[in-house]
Amino acid sequence: MITEDKKEEKSLNFIEEIVEADLQSGKYTQIVTRFPPEPNGYLHIGHASSICLNFGLTKKFPGYTNLRFDDTNPVTEDTEYVESIKRDIRWMGFEWKHELYASDYFDTLYDFAVSLIQRGLAYVDDSTSEEIAALKGTPTEPGKDSPYRDRSVEENLVLFEQMRNGDFPDGSRTLRAKIDMAHINMLMRDPILYRIKHAKHHRTGEKWCIYPMYDFAHGQSDSIETVTHSICTLEFAPHRELYDWLIAQLNIYPSHQYEFARRNLNYTVTSKRKLLQLVQEKHVSGWDDPRMPTISGLRRRGFTPESIRDFCDRIGVARRENMIDVGLLEFCVREDLNKKALRRMVVLDPLKVIITNFPEGETEMCHSENNPEDVSTGNREIPFTREIYIEKEDFMETPSKKYFRLAPGKMVRLKGAYIIQCDDFVKDENGEVTEVHCSYVENSKSGHDTTGIHVKGTLHWVSAAHAVKAEIRLYDRLFSVEDVSSEEGDFKDYINPESLHVITGYAEPALLDAEEGQSFQFLRKGYFVKDSDSQPGALVFNRTVTLRDNWAKAAEK
Ligand code: ATP
Ligand code: MG
């Protein structure tokens, strides 16, 4: 799937082809797109695809992109979401031309509805939603006309105004388009345009107690904004006929709708409704929990805007729904951070090593490059002392043949410092190695090595006296099954109970200067980012990704 899409990436995707043709034919001289989130949750990785597509089009072709909040549902929407959406789009590297709200068009939409009523194209229906559903028919059977369908224009105008004035309770009446109850497209069987909802709206307050339905707001908002290419996801394909019908009947600017496939990521859910449940029921710490597939969660986890844009480019734009491997997203962030992240040494599971021939109480400064991929970042100082920590897994009492790390009698290089040789080790009563005794080789210091000794293994390490303790949060997939929505029962039954491990790491002192949100490569351990929970003297790091794809390796076995 990914390879197929990669081909599309090099040439134009199918929506870009449509736009290019429209510009070449002179149909448009510039295009207008919009990103239309409903402010009822935080943006997730699926939205990132839509953002890259909509904003990407007007970067590539003449025109601009608006941000339009599709805020026609007063109950679930909130200003907190509006702010988070704006922050996330800007963080992704995009800027909109106009910030717009569907709710700003409530007066215009009301007038549109009145004009439909006046021309006999809409009517007030007193049926309950059950009664409406009962007459709707099925895909193979036509529906039946509502008993209220033939009300006079005058009566409809009065009733609709009363609806607006708050004379009726919720759910007691609707305004419906008068199209065709036998239409093969079920959405054309007199769709509901307005419903009564006595609820406070986050922007219009108590002004309205009737709210337009999606179908009677979206296309009309597009038209008011002269959107040329209105891009949405595939599930809206059957709505296109109604979209076109309403625009034609109202005789307003002819925006056109195009559909592309939703993007789903494995081992997670991309539905705001489900993500909201995870937050409300405290399965995660919030919308920006680093395990969440939200843009704010990915940011806190250490993903970069570049890596997310690269991911969206690579998966491209498809006409069929498919599941994208989260491994691709991780690949993209490794690619990006490899170029940018400063290298640091942090021991996650310490074993003490005593360099017996190094004087007690003495500190020698070693140097190592901040990032070998970017020499402009220079070197940093690393203190070397008699007692250091290495990873437990970097010592083996009886090594296998291919083990090039530390073992009795064996030599390794300490990154940026000396070659050491293991002379002895100490075990506790459980047989666990608690201390390793080594001697360093004189004249073997990195960059000044005149010994000619060749060692195969290089280990990361920290001086025990200088080590800074840091809380390290190790994350795994939030769900333990690949395709969460295809599983039976409650999706929350599939939450991975092992998705967070908190350990204490021993960091080299240079990490005391880390800034919040700054990413590092912890040598041999992965990419990590300084978390916002950090306090002066209490560092917290999130692991963004390991250096290699452990999941792919596990799958091969
Ligand atoms: P959710 O089901 O998560 O609530 P939504 O489609 O209701 O998603 P909106 O706020 O209405 O969320 O979406 C804004 C835009 O982002 C829409 O154009 C929508 O089609 C697009 N979008 C949402 N989810 C995805 C996805 N998984 N892949 C691609 N585009 C998406
Ligand atoms: Mg929606």
Side-chain angles (χ1 to χ4, degrees), residues 348-372:
L348 301 183
D349 186 15
L351 172 64
K352 189 170 267 186
V353 173
I354 300 179
I355 318 284
T356 50
N357 60 343
F358 194 86
E360 224 161 312
E362 199 167 294
T363 302
E364 181 177 337
M365 280 305 169
C366 298
H367 297 85
S368 191
E369 63 260 88
N370 275 317
N371 183 356

Side-chain angles (χ1 to χ4, degrees), residues 1-6 263 315 320-324:
M1 205 53 83
I2 285 157
T3 21
E4 181 192 314
D5 285 344
K6 260 194 110 172
R263 293 321 208 163
I315 62 179
R320 268 177 297 127
E321 283 227 2
N322 59 7
M323 180 71 82
I324 313 289

Side-chain angles (χ1 to χ4, degrees), residues 171-186:
S172 60
R173 284 179 170 82
T174 53
L175 182 76
R176 297 178 72 180
K178 196 169 181 177
I179 308 181
D180 179 1
M181 286 307 292
H183 204 286
I184 45 163
N185 182 348
M186 300 266 292

Side-chain angles (χ1 to χ4, degrees), residues 36 38 40 214 236 272:
E38 192 182 338
N40 60 352
Y214 171 87
F236 290 101
K272 278 181 285 187

Side-chain angles (χ1 to χ4, degrees), residues 406-422:
L406 204 57
K410 293 276 164 63
M411 284 186 179
V412 293
R413 171 168 299 283
L414 296 175
K415 176 71 184 173
Y418 291 97
I419 294 175
I420 58 170
Q421 175 164 26
C422 173

